[in-house]
Amino acid sequence: MAKIEKIKKKILFVTSEAHPLIKTGGLADVSGSLPKALAELSQDIRLIMPNYQALKTNGPVRFLCTVRIDNRDVNLLETRMPDSQVIVWLVDCAEFFNYPGNPYTDEQGNAWPNNAERFALFCRVAVICAMDRINQDWKADIVHCNDWQTGLVPALLSLEHDRPATVFTIHNMAYQGIFPADQVVAINLPGQLWHPDGVEFNHMLSFIKGGLVYADRVTTVSPTYALEIQTPEFGYGLEGLLTHRKDVLVGIINGIDMDQWNPETDAYINPKFNATTLTKKTQNKTKLQKKLGLPVNAKVPVVALISRLVEQKGIDMVIDCLPEMMSMSMQFILLGAGEKDFEQQLQELALLHPDKMALTIGYDEGLAHAIEAGADIFLMPSRFEPCGLNQMYSQRYGTIPIVRKTGGLADTVIDAIPETIAQSTATGVVFNEASAGSLMEAIKRTMLLYTNREAWDNMQVDAMKKDFSWQRSAEQYLELYQGI
Ligand code: ADP
Ligand code: GLC
């Protein structure tokens, strides 16, 4: 490793969200931590993202320069990631990014109508910066792009002479950035890119193809998902292209931010605890029950779920299981927001079972930490899950995850079966089929395990000991950069 660290690369990390500046999901967690981990490996890394109105910077922001794109003046601002030295460049275009709320959708969840133009502009500014056309004496060696919002960057860079190497990371194949063909004109796309082997997909404009076709390396966020996306079930029509590129496609599992998600230091929880002080976890459970208006009972298993409420996460299966779950001895806590239909069905169920179910619709960082600290069991029955972070946070907090065997869930949770329990490697409960029946079976199996206190405590300790730090994954990315 020492040899790799010595070669310092200039890396431009291109992303549409980064925690704690702005977050809608796991992409923000990754963009918040991976650049920091690479900086710790002595890399010269800068992050570039849009300057949304809702961005929460806490340090000085300085004006860098103005670039002109399609008759628009776009400012480039510079700040740092909070609590870190990582430089952040903000693409400041009021017409496109100065709206309140979510980066991608309005309050009803409808995509902003000008998303193609917004993110095409973002990509073009990223290219200008990567090539150092802003005269900062900093030309990127590597441009690392993430998800469809950045997909045009590798495509546009492919047209440049003496260009940096490009990496495109798929965080979710379900979101591809597909727009009507007339957007090609609106975004002033160079004609050389508009063909079926380029960014055209079924006569539509596909941003993600810009990354998948043109990047020098394609990565995704777990080894299992890297295989899954080469099949029709998970490739959504792009499985052929991904199979064609399999020699440059690799799955690197995400890490977690070990400082933010650390039960020994977590500012959102009280008391703090570790694997040797699990009775303090029970105190967190009591506090959580009180806070959410559930009967205080240390013995009853508390099952929790924190998620975007979308089909990917298997919320429909959970809704199907809830009537039976409510007949069992357990409490159920859910924190999430998303599709209105799911929100409404969950609200109806919560009204029927006020003593057993606590529902919070919304996004609440502090409550998410308190739930991880206080719950016994965490549900993550995703239909697909490129990586998933909450199953790792849960293990770190001694909250046993129930997960479906897919993507990163399959790669990070070890099923509690007699052998793994005996070997002290079990850290959760894993089930196969995406059906309410299989989920219910897994829940029942977990309830049974919960009754064996000693085995349960051991499993909690084994889960808490697992190393989910970013360092190993960051080293894998570094090796990948060096190898291009
Ligand atoms: P995805 O990116 O597909 O939503 P991940 O598991 O990778 O899934 O990441 C989700 C992240 O968002 C986690 O950090 C999780 O704690 C957080 N999260 C999701 N919903 C909420 C919510 N309603 N309140 C607080 N945090 C949430
Ligand atoms: C996506 C995926 C999730 C993954 C996250 C970060 O949002 O849905 O599984 O953990 O990206 O890579």
Side-chain angles (χ1 to χ4, degrees), residues 266-306:
D266 190 330
Y268 291 113
I269 70 168
N270 184 22
K272 329 254 180 244
F273 62 95
N274 62 30
T276 63
T277 54
L278 278 172
T279 47
K280 292 191 182 154
K281 180 167 169 68
T282 313
Q283 292 173 39
N284 277 285
K285 175 169 169 175
T286 305
K287 282 182 79 172
L288 183 64
Q289 287 169 324
K290 277 193 193 143
K291 184 182 167 84
L292 297 176
L294 290 168
V296 172
N297 180 343
K299 293 228 161 74
V300 68
V302 169
V303 181
L305 190 157
I306 303 168

Side-chain angles (χ1 to χ4, degrees), residues 47-48 61 72 107 154 206 209 216 317 338 382 390 459:
L47 193 141
I48 186 165
V61 179
R72 280 189 188 91
E107 272 177 18
S206 161
K209 274 192 79 190
D216 297 308
M317 293 186 257
S382 308
N390 269 116
M459 183 152 72

Side-chain angles (χ1 to χ4, degrees), residues 39-154:
E40 275 160 30
L41 293 175
S42 312
Q43 299 305 299
D44 181 0
I45 182 154
R46 296 182 184 191
L47 193 141
I48 186 165
M49 64 185 293
N51 188 27
Y52 308 108
Q53 192 182 86
L55 215 71
K56 285 192 245 142
T57 48
N58 72 356
V61 179
R62 76 175 177 109
F63 170 82
L64 211 59
C65 60
T66 301
V67 294
R68 196 155 172 83
I69 293 189
D70 295 345
N71 296 324
R72 280 189 188 91
D73 279 332
V74 180
N75 291 329
L76 210 66
L77 312 177
E78 182 178 288
T79 185
R80 305 245 168 192
M81 279 304 274
D83 304 322
S84 135
Q85 283 310 302
V86 174
I87 290 177
V88 180
W89 283 341
L90 299 173
V91 177
D92 185 44
C93 172
E95 180 191 344
F96 283 164
F97 300 120
N98 196 10
Y99 326 140
N102 187 294
Y104 320 118
T105 63
D106 65 17
E107 272 177 18
Q108 277 65 50
N110 304 309
W112 296 116
N114 56 353
N115 269 351
E117 284 180 89
R118 295 170 74 225
F119 289 104
L121 176 115
F122 172 52
C123 290
R124 290 175 66 183
V125 176
V127 167
I128 288 171
C129 294
M131 297 296 295
D132 196 28
R133 299 215 170 97
I134 54 171
N135 300 321
Q136 295 297 308
D137 194 21
W138 194 92
K139 183 174 174 200
D141 300 311
I142 303 282
V143 180
H144 186 157
C145 304
N146 295 275
D147 273 355
W148 73 262
Q149 293 86 352
T150 66
L152 293 186
V153 174

Side-chain angles (χ1 to χ4, degrees), residues 17 24-31 146-147 169-173 175 220-222 225 252 254 308 312-313 380 382 384-392 408-409 470 477:
E17 54 181 280
T24 72
L27 170 61
D29 297 58
V30 173
S31 305
N146 295 275
D147 273 355
T169 296
I170 304 164
H171 295 264
N172 199 332
M173 277 302 292
Y175 303 99
T220 187
V221 287
S222 69
Y225 195 60
I252 301 178
N254 289 332
R308 293 185 293 122
Q312 171 190 349
K313 304 293 178 178
M380 220 159 153
S382 308
F384 66 94
E385 196 61 78
C387 179
L389 297 167
N390 269 116
Q391 81 282 10
M392 295 191 267
L409 301 176
W470 261 108
Y477 279 108

